[in-house]
Amino acid sequence: MAKQDFKKIELPPKYVPKKSEPYMCPNHLAYFYQLLNAQKEELVQDSDSVLSAVRMAEKSESAGVGDDSDNATYEQEITMNLRMAGRDNNLLRKINAALDRLENGTFGYSVVSGEEIGLNRMLARPLATMTTEEQEEYESRR
């Protein structure tokens, strides 16, 4: 099967990859492709609403309505929304990188060793780029 075929596969409702299937077979790839694209779409929609909230808070603050306490609240709201947008942007970058790995056939394999990351880990953390052992070693060195 060609690399791109996983994008066209229609999975049964409630399909979950199984260990009994070959690792990162087209059905596995289709599952993760659909999952990551759904997460990406949700993030894009959320980022639109976060930006709208920031704009509204900025308008309220710049309109000169309210006292110092209100202005402090607006500033705090803007800061919080910008932090959320930053986190979302970071997550979006990771999702795009995972989608790139799906495209080039390296999804589900360690970027360090090339070994299988493992289906259980990928189901728990679809953005994983290292095996559990490699991740633990990386974190202990930090």
Side-chain angles (χ1 to χ4, degrees), residues 65-126:
V65 178
D67 59 11
D68 288 343
S69 177
D70 289 335
N71 289 335
T73 301
Y74 293 137
E75 285 181 27
Q76 187 176 17
E77 191 174 318
I78 290 168
T79 301
M80 183 183 68
N81 282 321
L82 290 174
R83 279 190 193 139
M84 285 181 6
R87 277 195 301 266
D88 287 352
N89 194 27
N90 188 36
L91 183 55
L92 190 57
R93 247 186 27 256
K94 289 179 180 183
I95 289 172
N96 284 331
L99 289 168
D100 287 345
R101 289 192 304 279
L102 272 164
E103 287 284 334
N104 67 29
T106 60
F107 184 84
Y109 297 90
S110 169
V111 296
V112 175
S113 64
E115 292 179 30
E116 291 182 5
I117 292 173
L119 190 56
N120 287 342
R121 179 159 166 76
M122 294 307 296
L123 288 169
R125 181 148 172 78

Side-chain angles (χ1 to χ4, degrees), residues 24-89:
M24 291 302 146
C25 65
N27 282 350
H28 288 188
L29 297 175
Y31 172 84
F32 287 111
Y33 177 75
Q34 292 169 15
L35 177 77
L36 291 167
N37 272 311
Q39 289 177 351
K40 181 178 178 176
E41 182 64 33
E42 187 178 326
L43 273 176
V44 169
Q45 288 175 354
D46 287 350
S47 69
D48 289 343
S49 58
V50 167
L51 288 175
S52 294
V54 168
R55 286 188 189 109
M56 293 212 16
E58 285 176 337
K59 282 181 185 177
S60 297
E61 182 182 23
S62 65
V65 178
D67 59 11
D68 288 343
S69 177
D70 289 335
N71 289 335
T73 301
Y74 293 137
E75 285 181 27
Q76 187 176 17
E77 191 174 318
I78 290 168
T79 301
M80 183 183 68
N81 282 321
L82 290 174
R83 279 190 193 139
M84 285 181 6
R87 277 195 301 266
D88 287 352
N89 194 27

